[in-house]
Amino acid sequence: MDNLDFLNIFIKEDKYDNPDFLDCNYNDSVWIIKYNDNSISKIDFNVKLYNNTFLTDIENEFILNIFKNLIIENIYTNNGLEKSKSKLQDFIFSTLTIIDII
């Protein structure tokens, strides 16, 4: 068993395919997030890693999808409903801060 196998639960959920707040395709390397007030944010996953690869390179696909799914997971409640749209930006920012620390 790989030491990251427990993360597989984050890549088997249908809710990750097409969340309402995502104004682009899940597989895009730059995400466009549309908020309740029609403002947008962009999340660029083209980040250079310590080993001189990019997060968007095929060899990093597993980790990239984990990060994307963590962003989405933070938006939903335990019963699968979206959390408050007015707090969407806060939820995304807090998740990105954790990802940045990692």
Side-chain angles (χ1 to χ4, degrees), residues 38-53:
N38 289 325
S39 64
I40 63 167
S41 290
K42 291 182 182 180
I43 302 173
D44 189 345
F45 292 103
N46 293 300
V47 177
K48 192 171 186 178
L49 303 177
Y50 72 95
N51 61 356
N52 290 323
T53 65

Side-chain angles (χ1 to χ4, degrees), residues 5-99:
D5 283 349
F6 71 96
L7 295 173
N8 287 331
I9 63 168
F10 291 110
I11 46 180
K12 296 185 178 180
E13 299 273 345
D14 290 340
K15 67 184 169 188
Y16 300 130
D17 292 340
N18 192 21
D20 291 339
F21 62 87
L22 198 57
D23 201 27
C24 60
N25 292 320
Y26 173 89
N27 291 320
D28 290 348
S29 60
V30 177
W31 274 10
I32 300 170
I33 309 295
K34 192 169 188 178
Y35 299 108
N36 212 20
D37 63 357
N38 289 325
S39 64
I40 63 167
S41 290
K42 291 182 182 180
I43 302 173
D44 189 345
F45 292 103
N46 293 300
V47 177
K48 192 171 186 178
L49 303 177
Y50 72 95
N51 61 356
N52 290 323
T53 65
F54 286 86
L55 184 57
T56 53
D57 290 347
I58 193 72
E59 63 263 28
N60 299 315
E61 183 177 23
F62 180 75
I63 294 296
L64 173 62
N65 287 335
I66 293 299
F67 288 157
K68 286 179 174 183
N69 292 342
L70 284 173
I71 293 167
I72 295 170
E73 182 67 28
N74 195 31
I75 303 306
Y76 290 95
T77 62
N78 289 339
N79 59 3
L81 300 174
E82 243 183 65
K83 293 178 182 174
S84 167
K85 286 197 181 272
S86 63
K87 295 287 185 179
L88 183 62
Q89 194 166 12
D90 294 337
F91 294 130
I92 290 174
F93 179 76
S94 64
T95 306
L96 290 175
T97 300
I98 292 168
I99 290 171

